[in-house]
Amino acid sequence: QHNDKEVQTWALKGELELSLQDLPAAQTSFEKVIELSPNSPLAHLGLARSLLAQNKVDAAAIHIRALERLKLNTPMVNYLRALEARQKNDITTARDALREVLSVAPNHAPSQLLMGQILLLQRDLDQAKDVLSRYVSQVPNNPAGRKLLAAVLLELGDPDVAIQTLAPLEQATPDDSQMLSLLGTAHMKLRDFDKGQMYMARASKQAPEASAIRTQLAVTHLAKGENEQAVAELQAVIDHDPAFERADFLLVLTQLRAGKLDAALNAAQALVSKHPDAAQAHNLLGA
């Protein structure tokens, strides 16, 4: 009985630490439960969750397999299988596992969110919109769900609804660089280039190391005919992150569009030297 009390105490401590996102502490607590009770499903569940949240996929897989040996076939186990598969980039297995969860627990919010992400990756945009809309209606204050839904809406060509979806976040977390970048993209799609540039500049200020955001800021300069600013921004991205191909390609195209052929040629030659197997790089150099 004393052992049971100790198990319950450590398990409760682990759950509390998980809820507070103190993942190493949660891991330690659930490891203590397994020491005291090696076949405790609760311990294996908690340990798998804390390990997956730390991207320790192989370690988490040991405990997911233990749950399978214990024949614990619950929505949470299938959700953990999906998380494991997603982190291993096995998108098909992840989607199949989430279908199992949602067939018996259609309102399981974490599975809805992960399914939305996977459907977006697979370009199944209408289904992604449906599942993420349901998620946001259930968990309206989760920024991840709103941002993911906004990204899907932008892909579907619905920037107005994307802006409405992000509006609560703009009030609650005005310095979120992802949210600002999505708003910038939405206003660019509406051809409101001034507002698009304003949001992209704010996003870039919050995340100056984010190459994708700085490149999008360069695109806003291009849309407004500000070629010199665009070139400066793209060159800054290339200097900071030489592996980010999109900035290299855009720099060549920007210089071509501006009629600066020598600069375009130099940029294209640099692009080919960095990516000698990229057909598009050779096409640009030929142009």
Side-chain angles (χ1 to χ4, degrees):
Q1 191 171 5
H2 174 73
N3 188 62
D4 287 346
K5 276 191 174 180
E6 203 174 351
V7 165
Q8 290 171 13
T9 300
W10 281 108
L12 186 60
K13 184 172 180 289
E15 287 295 335
L16 180 60
E17 287 157 345
L18 264 181
S19 70
L20 295 171
Q21 291 295 299
D22 190 349
L23 303 174
Q27 178 183 338
T28 300
S29 295
F30 287 118
E31 284 171 345
K32 186 66 178 175
V33 178
I34 285 177
E35 281 179 32
L36 296 165
S37 179
N39 291 322
S40 165
L42 187 63
H44 287 292
L45 276 169
L47 199 44
R49 287 160 61 204
S50 59
L51 288 165
L52 284 170
Q54 297 174 81
N55 294 314
K56 298 178 178 178
V57 186
D58 292 335
I62 294 167
H63 299 285
I64 297 171
R65 301 294 86 77
L67 290 165
E68 291 168 350
R69 286 194 299 276
L70 292 167
K71 301 192 184 303
L72 193 69
N73 189 26
T74 67
M76 180 54 76
V77 174
N78 279 318
Y79 172 66
L80 291 175
R81 283 194 192 106
L83 272 180
E84 176 194 357
R86 172 67 187 97
Q87 290 188 18
K88 290 178 175 176
N89 212 27
D90 183 353
I91 302 302
T92 301
T93 298
R95 184 170 178 170
D96 290 344
L98 290 171
R99 278 179 174 150
E100 289 288 325
V101 178
L102 295 171
S103 67
V104 295
N107 294 324
H108 185 246
S111 293
Q112 289 177 331
L113 183 61
L114 185 56
M115 181 65 100
Q117 182 190 114
I118 286 167
L119 291 167
L120 175 56
L121 284 171
Q122 294 185 320
R123 312 296 299 161
D124 195 343
L125 298 175
D126 288 322
Q127 281 202 55
K129 177 184 172 183
D130 178 61
V131 73
L132 288 168
S133 296
R134 285 187 280 120
Y135 175 83
V136 168
S137 70
Q138 278 196 99
V139 194
N141 296 324
N142 187 319
R146 285 191 175 274
K147 288 188 286 187
L148 202 52
L149 177 56
V152 170
L153 290 164
L154 289 174
E155 292 287 340
L156 286 168
D158 205 345
D160 285 311
V161 181
I163 291 167
Q164 293 168 23
T165 301
L166 294 168
L169 297 187
E170 191 174 8
Q171 296 294 320
T173 55
D175 296 331
D176 183 324
S177 60
Q178 285 182 322
M179 179 271 298
L180 291 167
S181 175
L182 287 165
L183 281 172
T185 302
H187 285 288
M188 291 294 290
K189 285 181 178 287
L190 291 170
R191 304 191 67 76
D192 187 343
F193 300 135
D194 289 332
K195 232 175 190 179
Q197 187 174 80
M198 180 269 288
Y199 279 114
M200 282 300 178
R202 283 175 58 193
S204 183
K205 183 178 178 182
Q206 294 301 322
E209 305 299 306
S211 298
I213 290 175
R214 292 196 71 177
T215 302
Q216 279 298 100
L217 178 57
V219 170
T220 69
H221 285 301
L222 286 173
K224 294 177 68 177
E226 299 166 350
N227 284 349
E228 288 185 15
Q229 293 95 320
V231 167
E233 201 67 54
L234 290 169
Q235 193 60 61
V237 173
I238 291 164
D239 292 341
H240 169 71
D241 187 0
F244 191 72
E245 295 180 16
R246 186 163 179 246
D248 285 294
F249 282 104
L250 275 175
L251 181 59
V252 180
L253 291 170
T254 301
Q255 300 286 33
L256 270 175
R257 192 175 86 163
K260 296 183 176 179
L261 301 184
D262 288 338
L265 184 62
N266 289 335
Q269 287 169 336
L271 177 61
V272 168
S273 69
K274 279 203 282 184
H275 307 287
D277 297 326
Q280 192 178 355
H282 288 280
N283 284 340
L284 279 175
L285 180 56

